[in-house]
Amino acid sequence: QVQLVESGGGLVQPGGSLRLSCAASSGIFSVYDMGWYRQAIGKQRELVAAITSGGRTNYADSVKGRFTISRDNTKNTVYLQMNSLKPEDTAVYYCAVRYGAPTPRPAYWGQGTQVTVSS
């Protein structure tokens, strides 16, 4: 069992930036693959960005060049830096531990943090 706590969401103007944080309780955080997901009203939850235990990253096409996922294993924390935010980025953002091969799937979820991009 892993407890994940997201923070950093809020209301931001289009073109603005936010940094989301996800703090994990596990002392073996460094071995986990992690991901950020989002779910907008009326839409399916989607993977936004993922980072492996080794630091390899992947991004949804819709956020490439704007979002950056990173991790600090000494702090058991994964981050999502979001720049050039657009109204369509509005969603609840969740972090998750990702398990499984060959295709990792979310196994543990945080409670989510709301991101609203609006003028």
Side-chain angles (χ1 to χ4, degrees), residues 1-118:
Q1 57 183 346
V2 180
Q3 182 177 353
L4 304 172
V5 180
E6 302 99 330
S7 62
L11 175 64
V12 64
Q13 299 283 336
S17 297
L18 287 172
R19 189 181 74 159
L20 306 183
S21 299
C22 175
S25 62
S26 176
I28 56 172
F29 172 81
S30 63
V31 310
Y32 295 146
D33 294 350
M34 301 293 296
W36 284 98
Y37 298 74
R38 68 186 181 188
Q39 187 165 21
I41 296 174
K43 296 185 177 180
Q44 292 182 296
R45 191 170 298 185
E46 64 177 344
L47 178 66
V48 175
I51 186 166
T52 69
S53 61
R56 178 169 51 84
T57 60
N58 286 288
Y59 298 92
D61 288 343
S62 59
V63 307
K64 285 181 179 177
R66 300 189 298 120
F67 291 9
T68 302
I69 188 171
S70 61
R71 64 194 300 160
D72 184 343
N73 290 339
T74 68
K75 299 182 180 294
N76 290 348
T77 300
V78 62
Y79 304 95
L80 186 67
Q81 178 67 47
M82 305 185 294
N83 299 325
S84 301
L85 283 161
K86 305 175 180 179
E88 53 262 44
D89 296 318
T90 296
V92 178
Y93 284 71
Y94 302 88
C95 67
V97 176
R98 290 161 51 81
Y99 286 162
T103 304
R105 293 285 186 265
Y108 301 98
W109 296 96
Q111 84 288 351
T113 185
Q114 176 71 46
V115 172
T116 302
V117 184
S118 176

